[in-house]
């Protein structure tokens, strides 16, 4: 992760905010599928894409949900992107009619490798940073490249000192 740092800003996303933004993503995608506006399936990119994928599938009433697991970061090197688990081959085909969902696109490396496997799929993320834009078809909120997004599953409630401390 070191090459992604330092990030000057932090964008802290609560469960409630993630739910709202994922719903907004679903609504934006509604009716945009290639077959009479319909999508055939939702695929979440594990692990961060799983919660948004579930919310999108629920909103759009899509019951066919699968996952793809990509390991793009090996501490120092970003170049060793590997697919650790593929979605069902028959389901996927070239990806047409399939919505592939992730929580965010940053450098775009993760989406790039999935896109190379399913070029006709539609790629959607809840959040996006500018460098990753070319890899994503639909997203909801953009943050600057020097912002680190903190997701609710990586945070906990904790005490903070009052603004006017002792
Ligand atoms: O656009 P990129 O630079 O490839 O970065 C974005 C990816 O990085 C994060 O996943 P991570 O690999 O940290 O794994 P996780 O989803 O299991 O937390 C995030 O969930 C995206 O999948
Ligand atoms: O900003 C981020 N937040 C969390 N995970 C990430 N993976 C790449 N960029 C980010
Ligand atoms: Mg991820």
């Amino acid at each position: 992760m070191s090459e992604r740092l330092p990030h000057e800003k932090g964008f802290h996303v609560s469960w409630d905010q993630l739910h709202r933004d994922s719903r907004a993503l679903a609504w934006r995608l509604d009716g945009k599928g290639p077959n009479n506006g319909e999508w055939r399936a939702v695929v979440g990119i594990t692990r961060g894409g799983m919660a948004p994928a579930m919310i999108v599938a629920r909103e759009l009433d899509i019951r066919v949900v699968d996952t793809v697991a990509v390991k793009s970061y090996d501490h120092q090197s970003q170049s060793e992107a590997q697919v650790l688990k593929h979605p069902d081959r028959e389901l996927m085909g070239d990806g047409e009619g399939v919505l592939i969902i992730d929580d965010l696109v940053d450098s775009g490396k993760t989406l790039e490798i999935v896109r190379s496997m399913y070029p006709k799929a539609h790629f959607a993320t809840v959040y996006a940073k500018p460098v990753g834009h070319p890899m994503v078809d639909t997203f909801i909120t953009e943050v600057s490249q020097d912002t680190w997004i903190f997701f609710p599953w990586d945070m906990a409630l904790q005490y903070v000192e009052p603004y006017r401390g002792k």
Side-chain angles (χ1 to χ4, degrees):
M1 185 158 94
S2 55
E3 75 277 11
R4 301 185 196 172
L5 298 174
H7 288 83
E8 295 200 346
K9 296 161 227 156
F11 181 70
H12 296 80
V13 181
S14 67
W15 282 111
D16 183 59
Q17 190 65 46
L18 184 85
H19 194 181
R20 285 166 190 270
D21 290 340
S22 299
R23 277 187 159 154
L25 181 63
W27 301 341
R28 191 164 292 177
L29 295 165
D30 188 25
K32 305 273 168 55
N35 187 8
N36 290 327
E38 296 300 313
W39 300 104
R40 290 191 291 120
V42 167
V43 170
I45 302 180
T46 66
R47 295 157 301 177
M50 294 174 83
M54 173 267 157
I55 294 163
V56 168
R58 188 267 178 188
E59 288 300 308
L60 301 185
D61 195 26
I62 298 168
R63 301 282 174 158
V64 179
V65 178
D66 206 336
T67 55
V68 56
V70 183
K71 186 180 179 206
S72 353
Y73 291 91
D74 201 6
H75 297 292
Q76 305 297 316
S77 163
Q78 222 187 355
S79 59
E80 300 167 34
Q82 290 176 260
V83 181
L84 302 178
K85 183 257 171 199
H86 291 82
D88 186 79
R89 226 163 71 159
E90 276 180 39
L91 170 72
M92 294 305 289
D94 60 8
E96 183 155 35
V98 176
L99 271 176
I100 301 187
I101 309 283
D102 209 349
D103 50 358
L104 81 135
V105 59
D106 187 327
S107 69
K109 294 279 180 201
T110 302
L111 292 192
E112 190 178 12
I113 190 167
V114 183
R115 223 178 229 289
S116 70
M117 299 188 296
Y118 311 112
K120 293 209 174 159
H122 188 100
F123 289 81
T125 64
V126 186
Y127 305 105
K129 299 188 192 180
V131 170
H133 272 188
M135 285 296 143
V136 68
D137 300 308
T138 305
F139 64 89
I140 293 300
T141 298
E142 175 168 352
V143 302
S144 63
Q145 204 68 36
D146 61 354
T147 297
W148 188 258
I149 303 172
F150 292 92
F151 286 103
W153 45 84
D154 287 329
M155 293 188 292
L157 283 177
Q158 66 168 55
Y159 177 78
V160 288
E161 289 292 337
Y163 182 64
R164 292 188 66 163
K166 284 183 191 157

